[in-house]
Amino acid sequence: MKKFVVCALLLGLLIAVASPALAWDAAKQKNLGQDGNKMQWYLLDYGKNDAGIPFAVSRKYYTNTTIKNETIELLMSKFGLSPEVAGSLYFTEYMYEYTPDGAQFATVYLRHYDMLGNLIHGTDYEGEERTFTAVSAVGSKHAVAQGANLALGKKPVTPAPAKKAAKKSTVPAKRVVKQKKK
């Protein structure tokens, strides 16, 4: 029984490592932290493709159950996925394409995956379906903006460290009393 469990775990690990959804250059991956909706974001890849077009690939993990449930409902209602398949949603991957100056972006694809990296549903945007939007419209900390900076060889925007407030003592100050000389 133990051999079976070990073999199953090794096979699962092999499948996960070989999965195209997980096959990104670890040196390029960047943890972008949580957004305003408490969703965890990672930048997986960036640069210029063979045609010289700047691109970036990011991934959003559903760490906010409200948004995850809304996305599951959308997958079921709009694309006809079963509750079991849609309910296995774990992360969504996005590929962005940028104008040469990095001022605008378009989504090339978005793909929804389960925990094992299996594709649940994907949407590819071709030609006229790709609409360009100003990168500045999403904010400098968003994966779109971070990807644009890195794809163009610019330094990524890093949030300024929070200033620490001066620590106030909760212990009352001692009163120093000088003794009178006799």
Side-chain angles (χ1 to χ4, degrees), residues 98-109:
Y98 302 97
T99 54
D101 63 356
Q104 296 186 342
F105 77 99
T107 302
V108 175
Y109 69 73

Side-chain angles (χ1 to χ4, degrees), residues 7-158:
C7 287
L9 288 173
L10 288 174
L11 182 61
L13 182 61
L14 249 157
I15 290 169
V17 170
S19 171
L22 304 172
W24 297 105
D25 181 2
K28 283 188 170 183
Q29 292 181 19
K30 302 209 179 307
N31 180 346
L32 300 177
Q34 291 187 340
D35 63 13
N37 295 318
K38 304 290 184 211
M39 302 290 277
Q40 184 66 42
W41 285 84
Y42 291 88
L43 194 59
L44 302 178
D45 197 12
Y46 51 86
K48 292 187 179 179
N49 64 17
D50 294 339
I53 298 170
F55 76 94
V57 178
S58 67
R59 187 176 285 174
K60 170 177 68 175
Y61 285 87
Y62 289 90
T63 50
N64 178 325
T65 54
T66 302
I67 293 177
K68 180 178 181 177
N69 290 335
E70 289 171 0
T71 306
I72 290 169
E73 289 294 323
L74 177 72
L75 289 169
M76 291 187 308
S77 65
K78 188 172 181 179
F79 302 110
L81 272 64
S82 70
E84 294 79 24
V85 172
S88 67
L89 176 68
Y90 190 62
F91 65 87
T92 300
E93 194 170 276
Y94 301 84
M95 181 175 192
Y96 310 111
E97 172 180 287
Y98 302 97
T99 54
D101 63 356
Q104 296 186 342
F105 77 99
T107 302
V108 175
Y109 69 73
L110 64 93
R111 298 182 180 146
H112 304 286
Y113 293 91
D114 66 12
M115 188 179 278
L116 297 175
N118 298 315
L119 181 65
I120 295 173
H121 184 269
T123 304
D124 292 331
Y125 299 99
E126 300 292 332
E128 293 177 7
E129 292 179 320
R130 289 186 194 166
T131 55
F132 282 85
T133 305
V135 171
S136 60
V138 297
S140 64
K141 294 179 186 174
H142 193 280
V144 168
Q146 296 288 343
N149 285 334
L150 290 165
L152 295 170
K154 298 178 183 176
K155 192 173 184 178
V157 176
T158 55

